[in-house]
Structure formats: C-alpha cells, structure tokens
Amino acid sequence: MTAVSAVALLLRRIRGEGAIVLLLFALVATTSFLFSAAPRVFSRVTDDAVRYALATAAPGKGDVWLSASGSIGPGNDAGVLAVKSYGGQREAEFPASIDRLISDRSIGVTSVRLVSPQSINVLSLRYQDGLTDASKLVSGRWPVDRGMPLRSFQVGHQGDAGDQGPPTVFEAALSTTQADAIGAHVGDRLTVDLDGSDPLVPKSTFAIGPTEIEVVGLYEPLDASADEWTGNGLLQPTYKYGSGGLVAIYATAYVPAEAYPRLAAGVPAFHYDWHFQIDPERLDADQVGTLQLDLQRLGLTVAPTDNRVVPATASNVALTRVTVVSGLLGIVDGFAAQRARSESVLSIAALGVLGLAGGATAMLAILLVRRRRASLLLARSRGASGKLLLGAQLVEAAVLAGGATLVGLLLAVYAVPARDAPLTPILALVVAGTATILLVTATWSAARRPLIDLGRDDPPVFRVPPRRLVIEASIVGIAVVAIFLLKQRGLTIGPIGDTVRFDPLLAAVPLLSGLAAGIVALRLYPLPVRGLGRLAARRRDFVPVVGLRTVARHPATSNLPLLVLLLTAAFGSFALVIASSIDRGQVAASYLDVGADYRLEEIGTGGLSQSVDPTTVPGVQAVAPGVVDPTAAFVNASNVSTTLDLDAVDVAAYETVTAGTAADPAWPSAFLAAPPAIGVGTGANPIPAILSAQLPPSVAGLNPGDTFTIVVARQPLTFRLVQRQDSFPGHGTSASFVIVPLDWIRAVPGTSSVPTIMWLRASSDAAAPLAATVGDAPRPVRIVSRQDAYGLLHGAPLGSAVADGFGIALAVSVLYLAITLVGAVIISAAGRTRDLAYLRTLGVSSRQAQALMAVEHAPPVLLALIPGVLLGVGVAFLVEPGLGLAAFVGAQGVSLFVDWLTLGLVIVALLAVVVVAIAAGTWLAGHARLTSALRIE
C-alpha cells in the first residue's frame, strides 16, 4: 500500500465524519479564541486599572508637585511670570515618561503667616492659578492690586522709617467657611503682623510696616474636589488646640497675581508650589515599568538647588529647599503589585480552562480512534505501516487544529478591541500544538499495536501496566503536595528583582486535584460496578445486568466521561466559590469601611444635631449617634501624653443599625452594662474601652483589665481596657483609636452630648432625600454611602477581572462538558446502534433500550458530580489563605462563601447536559435502520 493511497484513504473519512470533525473544529476554535482573547482582554483591563487607580486617588495625589521655600524675585514682571518661568525650567528636566503624562500646569504662591494681634486668627495670603474659574462669588468682588508695596525694615536699624506712614492695604477674598470661622465679613479690615513662629521669618531682625488685609469678597467652590483646592488651605480653616482649648485658627486668603511683586518687596520668603497635573488617559500598563524607575530618580533630577542661588529668567532665585512631592509612585507601585496578584490568581482559571480543553480534546480523540478501529485495521492489513498511519493522522490533525486555531485567533483579534499583546499568537500556537499532539498521540496505540490485538476491545481496567500505575500515583501525590504548598506558601514564588512571579504548579492545584480524584475514581469505579453486576445477575430482569456488564467490558467508553465530568464539577465549583466570595467580601468590606448603610460626619464644629435630623428622612430605619474627639490626650503613668481618636458610640442603637451585617461589632458584655449613677470615669468606676492594636510606644503594653487615663473635655477620665482590635467598623483611617460607650461619656458632667457622627440603617432609596435634607442644613455635613464604597471596590478593573475570570471559567467548563458529552454520543453512536440492533433482534423494546442507557450512564454521573462538587468546594476552603484574595476585596481577610443556590443551578445544568446527551444517543441509536446497523462490519 503506497503512502499516497494510505493518506487518501485516511483523509477520505473526513467526508464521512463531518459531524465529528466539525465538533473537534469547534472545540479547538473555541479554545483558541479564549486563549487568544485573554491577553488582549487583560491588557485592556490593566490599562483601565492603572487609569482607575489614578482617577480614584485623592485629588492631586497622582500629580507631580514641586515645592520650594525661599524667594523668587519678580524682576520687571507685573505678576508671577518669574515663578512660572522657574517651574518651566524644572519641568524641562523631567524624564520623557513623566513629561508625556502632564496635561496641565498651575502654580501657587503663599506668603509667610500673618497674625492678628487682637485675635487668635492666623492668616496667609495666597495666589492660586485657576481659583476664580473654579469658584463662584457669594458676595463682594474679586480682589485687585492697589499698587501699595509692603514696607519692611530691620529691627533696631537707625534712620529706618519703615514703621511710619499709612498702612499698606492688600485686598483679599475668603471662602465662606473660613470667613465664618474667623468672623470676617466683606468690608472688614484685618490688621496683621508677621508671625514670629513661622520658620521663614528671620528671628528678631525683621519687621514690616503697618499692614491691613481688606476682605472684598466671599466665594464658594463649584467643586470642592477639584485640583484647584488640593492642599492649599483656601477652603477649610485649620484649628489648633491646646490644653486650654482652641488656641489658633489658621486661614488662607486669595490675592491676585499682581499683588505678588508688592508682597515680595517686604515679605522675606514665600512657599511656592508648581502643580503638574497627570492625565490618566495618557497612561497605559506597558508604561508602568519605565515610569516607576523614572519616578524613583525624579528627586535627584529636579532638586539641585539645595542651599544655592540659581538664576532664572529676568530674576534671581534664592530657594533654601526644593522638593518633589507626588503620590504617583505609590499609585503605580500599588497597581504593579495588584496586577501581579491578579495575574497569579487568574492563572488558576486559565490553567483550569486549558486543562479542561485538553481533557475534552483527548477524550474525543481517543473515542474517535475507537470508532476508526475498523478502518485502521483495514489499512494495516493492506500494508500501511505505523509511521504511515501516524503521518496521515499528523496531516489531518495539523489541518484541523491549524485551521481552527487560525479562526479563533482572527476572531479574537477583531472581536476584542485592545492593544496588541505579545502572548496572543504564542498562546494560539500552544493551543494548536497541544491539539495536534493530542490527536496524534491518541492514534499512537492503534498504529503501533500488533494486528492481532488491534481488533480486540480495550483490556479490562484491572490489567493496568505498572508504569501507568506509577505515573498515576505520582500525579495523585503531586496534587496532594501542591494543595498543602499553596495553603502554606501562597500563589507567588516571591520577588525577583522588582517583579513577583507565580508558581505554575501551585496555580494548577484545582486542576490537579480534580485530575487526581478522577484517576482514583477510574481505578476504584470498576469494583462497585463489578459487584453490582454480580448481584444483578441473580435477578430475572434484563436491563441491569447487561448495562453493568457493558460498563465493565468497555472501560474507555464508560470511564472517560466520568473523568471529564468529575474534572468539570470540581473546577466549576471551585471557580464559583472564588467568584462569589470576592463579591461577598467586597460587600463586607464596604460595611466595615462605612460602618453602616450611611454615615454622616460633621464638617467644621457645632455637631450634627444642629444641622440635620435623619430620623425624618423617608427610608431611614434606625440611627446610631456618636461623638468623635480627635484631640483626646492619652496619658501614661509618666504623664507623657499622645493624641488619638476617641469614638463614643451609642452601643444599643449601633447594634440595631448593624444587625445582620458585617459591621456588627459583637460588643463585649462590659459595653452593654448601664453606667453607674455617680463616679463615672474614676478609678472606682472606670469606663469600658476598646483600644486599637496599634498604639504609640509611649502608651503601648496595655492588656485587658488594665486601666489608663484619657483627657476628655479638659478633664482626665479613667478607662478600663476590655478588648484590643486592629480596626473598628466605620471608624476611619486613624491607626490609634479608643471606642467607648456613649452613655458612659454622657454620664460624666461637663462632657458634650451633641453627636458629631451618625450611622444610619437605610435603603438605597433613602440616598436622594437624605442628600436633599443634608443640603438644606445650615452647616455642611458629609454623607458617606456604603453603596458608593461598594461601587468603588466592585468597579476596580482588576478585582472585577478576577471575579469575572472565574465566572467565565465556570461557564466555559460547562460548555466543554457539553461538547465532550455530545461528542462522545456522536462518536459512539455507531457502536451503540449495532449493540441495540443485536438486542432488538432478541426482542428488546425501546423503553428497555432507554433504561439500558440510563443504567450505563447514571452511576458515573452520580459518582462524578456530587464528589466533584464537594471536592472543588473543599479545595477552595483549603487553599484560600494562599490565594491572596484580600487584595481584591479591600479587607484584611476573606471569608469564603458558598452560593448554594447558584451551585445547585450549576449541578442542574450539568445534569441537564448529561440527560440531553444520553437522550440524543438513545434517539440516534433507536432510529437507525436495523439492516444497516447489522451490516456495519
């Protein structure tokens, strides 16, 4: 038999096996599409993720700032052009990776502090680019320059008349909040002098002449979160407290750019800042590596002016300190770490899908070779060698796998709009190569076996070569070891240079565990089947004994679907647990962050009860008030004090607000006790308290039962430690805090009972009326919504990609199972038709034929489905500590959650696929012509 005739004979079968070839083509094309599209999708997700990280950071945190102290002479400029010119010189030294991201530039110039001798007010004058466009005038007008230079003189210098003459007047505008704080109105003139405590003011050698600041306008921001208000103090005042209470109010007033030369004539120094705004849309994930290196070197590049005079355009620059301030490095570092974690976790889903695709392809290939046994025997009997048959199979596999892979690759490229990913063609080649190898390998045994053995059925499963047993035992052992390694070590190998790599062995744990369980099931499955067959032989009916003996006599046909089904059930349940746990963890994290459905916080002073009453808002079910004192002084035995946050919470009300949620604090019993009538806060009746686990060294070392002292409302109170916690729901970001019952604090004479914070239990429908009520309040109130916190977590692209990735893996696993079972039915239809035809000649009815199919397939389905689901859930709980899911949840730990409803639907879907496949096989076998079936050989 010539090679050409053998190839022609073997390729001719494609025409007669169109359905099988089409099924294999669809399987390989689907796998190629998934793995070709995955890198493109991930590149798009990472681009969105780094932009999302910048967009959701605190205003201005992702920008680049130059900060300097000293003086820049205005020269002949009428405004701040010299300051802008110096900033342009420093910007020219930025690396290209940073320069291409800058979308806008602005400057700010702030004078030294000026004090009002008749009050506790401390005022700074500042020019800020873009302020007038970012705000609206409430009353008055915008300030202008009156052309009066500020006079200055050396103290004690003879003949200096700097302190004589009419006062120099500068016009300024204040925000309404700051004006309220210092008691200023439009038309007021504030007499000011240099603040000697300002580090930029020369000590005892420098003074200014009489100076007044006239308030000519009051403004409010159009958007308080805009970049124009970042870190400049132009909106909110700052309060300084001492042991005697409020000692100073710091405010910042806006002055026009034209006032800078007049101020520079007498003010010894200024604070300068150059703000370079970063456009997130100009950054993609591929630029992050270069950007990290350039940002690390940025401080050396742009700060060469330490203690030197540097010439600038038309002026002299004398800056004692130039620093670069930016949170951009921290943002991109956090993104890089998050991307490494997401790649590691998603590798589990990717390897699982690849394993399922390989298993499905291998199973179809093996069953296809069984179907072609007669044609292979014919070719071998006419002189075709094993090499010839393998070569013909290689040609067929290359054409089939190559064409399907190309279709999947092209579909991925055109269907997924994203940047080109280098991994896309590589993974497509891997899919094509894997499919080709599997199809050729499945033919190896038939092509190399002796002719006398080729016509026989597969050997019984008990006659397994020792080499195969060793390989299978090794796979089971590796799976067990990998599970415990993943639990102990985590998914990543560790830092190598500046990157974190994942361990492919540990990433394959869910797949390996399913494979190991499938191997064990394949080896143990014949034992109960053979036993049941012997018991069935004692019965008089026909179906059980024939069905069970068929399973035992045809292990490949019966047991391969068992392996695929068990693999699918195990990996699918694992993927479902991970996906649902991430979403449930994000919900829990939002509760822990906000403390309830909503949190109201005061802005300024005065308390919330004078601003808003949430009990009147529709949809609000319960309210828990609290008092937050950020200036409480913790005093140790050596009278060394440190400031920490004291949160007094209405215990009973807060328990009602948070009941049934992740924010439920599970109060210790001491918090539930009522305070005594007298002596609260004394050594005899200390106030129960929960302390943060992290405390300053001067007050650390406390244990439950110890007492300590905190100064509250200017009086020392004694507290008893009942518990230490790392965090507390809705507390905030302060690392050092103390939580106490509000009713105990109210029982202390002289303490304030006006709430400064409220936690609300309310539906999402309450958001709009609550915002309207708060907006009408006389004092500003901040609303923190749990829904917004959840949206911020859930909307993070990388976290969503991980959850969606496992969800897609679950859907794909069910799809592969459907393709596999349908393929098994189609491929085995000829043999099944022949067997049923023989049985029909013996009088077997259609109903008995259907029962026979059910008996053959029900045991492997039950054996694979239930244990597979339980295995997947168990592996998820076992390896969860090593997955690092907390990075995508926003909480310290993740409690795995089993969505039994969805899991039940998945089981029903898997059963439905099996039932449909069995029904289709029975229909195909039952509707074949009897004479044709008996003439197959």
Side-chain angles (χ1 to χ4, degrees):
M1 184 175 184
T2 64
V4 174
S5 60
V7 172
L9 175 64
L10 294 176
L11 292 182
R12 193 179 302 120
R13 63 195 176 195
I14 296 178
R15 221 170 23 178
E17 299 173 345
I20 301 172
V21 172
L22 183 61
L23 191 65
L24 281 170
F25 187 92
L27 178 62
V28 177
T30 300
T31 307
S32 173
F33 170 76
L34 290 174
F35 282 88
S36 300
R40 296 176 61 84
V41 172
F42 192 72
S43 68
R44 182 172 179 176
V45 168
T46 52
D47 288 348
D48 293 341
V50 68
R51 295 164 185 166
Y52 183 84
L54 282 173
T56 56
K61 184 178 181 181
D63 298 334
V64 178
W65 301 73
L66 289 184
S67 178
S69 298
S71 65
I72 299 178
N76 298 324
D77 297 330
V80 292
L81 293 180
V83 180
K84 292 184 178 181
S85 176
Y86 179 80
Q89 294 178 33
R90 301 285 74 82
E91 182 187 357
E93 301 171 3
F94 285 178
S97 63
I98 300 174
D99 186 66
R100 71 166 66 97
L101 303 179
I102 297 175
S103 61
D104 200 2
R105 303 150 184 84
S106 63
I107 66 166
V109 181
T110 306
S111 70
V112 295
R113 294 195 298 265
L114 306 172
V115 297
S116 179
Q118 292 80 26
S119 67
I120 61 173
N121 298 330
V122 181
L123 199 64
S124 298
L125 304 180
R126 177 179 175 85
Y127 167 74
Q128 172 68 48
D129 274 347
L131 180 138
T132 56
D133 295 330
S135 57
K136 62 179 180 180
L137 277 173
V138 176
S139 60
R141 58 177 175 82
W142 290 114
V144 296
D145 177 41
R146 294 191 177 184
M148 303 174 65
L150 183 64
R151 303 190 301 272
S152 63
F153 59 93
Q154 298 290 327
V155 175
H157 190 274
Q158 294 183 359
D160 197 315
D163 58 344
Q164 300 177 4
T168 301
V169 179
F170 289 94
E171 293 185 357
L174 286 167
S175 70
T176 54
T177 304
Q178 297 199 89
D180 290 342
I182 65 174
H185 305 85
V186 172
D188 290 351
R189 283 196 177 189
L190 310 177
T191 302
V192 294
D193 201 352
L194 290 178
D195 183 359
S197 63
D198 193 317
L200 295 183
V201 177
K203 305 299 181 183
S204 305
T205 61
F206 191 89
I208 61 175
T211 305
E212 294 180 349
I213 307 300
E214 182 177 353
V215 180
V216 299
L218 300 179
Y219 60 84
E220 290 182 349
L222 297 176
D223 179 8
S225 63
D227 287 339
E228 286 80 4
W229 312 106
T230 303
N232 53 34
L234 284 166
L235 283 184
Q236 300 293 334
T238 303
Y239 301 92
K240 180 179 180 181
Y241 293 88
S243 58
L246 184 64
V247 297
I249 302 176
Y250 295 89
T252 303
Y254 169 76
V255 295
E258 293 76 15
Y260 173 68
R262 322 300 176 200
L263 287 169
V267 172
F270 293 85
H271 297 280
Y272 301 95
D273 54 81
W274 293 265
H275 182 191
F276 302 95
Q277 297 180 19
I278 300 299
D279 183 4
E281 296 302 320
R282 300 186 182 185
L283 180 63
D284 60 55
D286 287 346
Q287 302 173 15
V288 168
T290 303
L291 185 61
Q292 286 176 292
L293 296 176
D294 289 341
L295 285 170
Q296 292 170 359
R297 293 191 289 260
L298 183 60
L300 299 177
T301 303
V302 244
T305 59
D306 201 16
N307 295 321
R308 291 188 294 170
V309 175
V310 179
T313 305
S315 63
N316 288 330
V317 178
L319 301 177
T320 58
R321 184 175 67 255
V322 177
T323 57
V324 181
V325 179
S326 178
L328 183 58
L329 179 59
I331 292 174
V332 295
D333 283 347
F335 159 76
Q338 188 84 333
R339 178 176 58 180
R341 295 188 192 100
S342 62
E343 288 174 346
S344 300
V345 177
L346 285 173
S347 65
I348 296 178
L351 289 177
V353 171
L354 182 61
L356 292 177
T361 304
M363 176 185 162
L364 293 181
I366 292 173
L367 295 179
L368 181 60
V369 170
R370 284 180 53 83
R371 177 188 176 98
R372 293 174 173 177
R373 188 186 301 273
S375 62
L376 290 174
L377 179 61
L378 177 62
R380 290 285 303 277
S381 65
R382 293 184 177 181
S385 64
K387 292 182 179 179
L388 188 62
L389 294 178
L390 291 175
Q393 183 62 50
L394 178 62
V395 173
E396 179 186 5
V399 172
L400 178 64
T405 300
L406 183 60
V407 170
L409 175 61
L410 293 177
L411 184 61
V413 170
Y414 288 102
V416 182
R419 291 184 295 106
D420 291 335
L423 275 178
T424 293
I426 296 176
L427 291 179
L429 289 175
V430 169
V431 171
T434 302
T436 302
I437 292 173
L438 289 174
L439 290 172
V440 174
T441 304
T443 312
W444 181 273
S445 177
R448 306 297 295 181
R449 285 171 62 181
L451 285 175
I452 193 172
D453 294 332
L454 188 60
R456 298 177 179 175
D457 288 337
D458 291 337
V461 292
F462 286 119
R463 300 176 185 177
V464 182
R467 181 182 302 175
R468 180 176 297 180
L469 287 177
V470 171
I471 294 175
E472 293 177 353
S474 300
I475 293 175
V476 174
I478 291 173
V480 173
V481 172
I483 288 174
F484 286 99
L485 282 178
L486 178 57
K487 177 179 176 61
Q488 294 177 1
R489 287 176 43 192
L491 196 56
T492 58
I493 294 177
I496 298 179
D498 293 329
T499 61
V500 177
R501 299 190 309 173
F502 78 96
D503 190 332
L505 172 63
L506 302 185
V509 160
L511 183 65
L512 282 174
S513 62
L515 180 60
I519 290 174
V520 173
L522 285 177
R523 295 301 164 217
L524 297 180
Y525 178 59
L527 294 175
V529 171
R530 179 166 292 189
L532 291 174
R534 290 176 179 175
L535 293 177
R538 301 179 181 180
R539 295 171 54 91
R540 298 177 60 87
D541 51 351
F542 169 80
V543 172
V545 62
V546 175
L548 293 174
R549 286 187 176 181
T550 302
V551 173
R553 291 178 57 191
H554 300 282
T557 304
S558 301
N559 294 355
L560 280 178
L562 166 68
L563 176 61
V564 174
L565 184 58
L566 196 148
L567 260 176
T568 303
F571 180 76
S573 59
F574 175 87
L576 177 62
V577 170
I578 298 301
S580 57
S581 296
I582 290 177
D583 183 72
R584 180 59 64 94
Q586 290 172 344
V587 173
S590 65
Y591 271 111
L592 295 176
D593 180 32
V594 179
D597 293 321
Y598 296 92
R599 187 176 74 232
L600 306 184
E601 300 174 344
E602 71 168 350
I603 299 178
T605 58
L608 288 177
S609 64
Q610 301 177 11
S611 303
V612 61
D613 182 9
T615 59
T616 62
V617 177
V620 175
Q621 304 165 13
V623 178
V627 177
V628 178
D629 183 2
T631 63
F634 195 126
V635 183
N636 65 2
S638 303
N639 290 326
V640 177
S641 64
T642 184
T643 301
L644 79 169
D645 280 0
L646 184 142
D647 294 5
V649 184
D650 188 324
V651 174
Y654 190 75
E655 195 170 33
T656 302
V657 167
T658 60
T661 70
D664 191 341
W667 295 114
S669 57
F671 273 55
L672 303 177
I678 57 174
V680 177
T682 63
N685 295 309
I687 301 172
I690 298 174
L691 267 178
S692 58
Q694 180 178 344
L695 288 174
S698 59
V699 295
L702 292 173
N703 298 309
D706 294 344
T707 58
F708 53 91
T709 301
I710 295 181
V711 178
V712 181
R714 304 182 188 178
Q715 55 181 317
L717 300 179
T718 302
F719 296 81
R720 178 172 58 87
L721 176 61
V722 297
Q723 202 174 83
R724 297 285 293 270
Q725 292 187 5
D726 293 326
S727 60
F728 187 81
H731 160 69
T733 58
S734 176
S736 300
F737 60 85
V738 57
I739 310 297
V740 298
L742 179 59
D743 54 349
W744 285 68
I745 295 295
R746 286 173 172 171
V748 178
T751 56
S752 174
S753 61
V754 178
T756 63
I757 188 171
M758 291 181 182
W759 293 275
L760 279 60
R761 187 184 187 98
S763 63
S764 58
D765 297 335
L770 186 62
T773 302
V774 168
D776 296 335
R779 292 182 178 275
V781 177
R782 181 183 296 111
I783 302 177
V784 184
S785 169
R786 188 200 64 80
Q787 291 289 342
D788 293 342
Y790 170 76
L792 196 63
L793 289 172
H794 191 69
L798 287 178
S800 298
V802 172
D804 294 343
F806 280 96
I808 293 173
L810 172 61
V812 170
S813 63
V814 175
L815 174 63
Y816 279 146
L817 176 65
I819 293 176
T820 302
L821 293 180
V822 171
V825 169
I826 295 175
I827 292 175
S828 60
R832 181 74 56 194
T833 300
R834 184 178 65 253
D835 293 342
L836 289 179
Y838 289 140
L839 294 175
R840 285 168 61 188
T841 62
L842 299 177
V844 174
S845 65
S846 299
R847 179 171 296 182
Q848 286 177 319
Q850 294 176 358
L852 187 62
M853 290 281 290
V855 170
E856 291 182 16
H857 290 87
V861 168
L862 295 178
L863 181 62
L865 197 57
I866 303 302
V869 168
L870 296 178
L871 175 66
V873 174
V875 170
F877 276 88
L878 193 61
V879 304
E880 181 275 326
L883 296 180
L885 299 181
F888 312 104
V889 170
Q892 295 296 324
V894 178
S895 298
L896 289 186
F897 170 74
V898 181
D899 189 349
W900 293 109
L901 177 60
T902 305
L903 191 59
L905 294 177
V906 171
I907 294 175
V908 170
L910 294 177
L911 288 174
V913 171
V914 174
V915 170
V916 170
I918 294 175
T922 305
W923 185 87
L924 289 176
H927 285 73
R929 294 178 60 188
L930 186 62
T931 54
S932 300
L934 296 176
R935 292 176 57 189
I936 289 178
E937 296 295 341

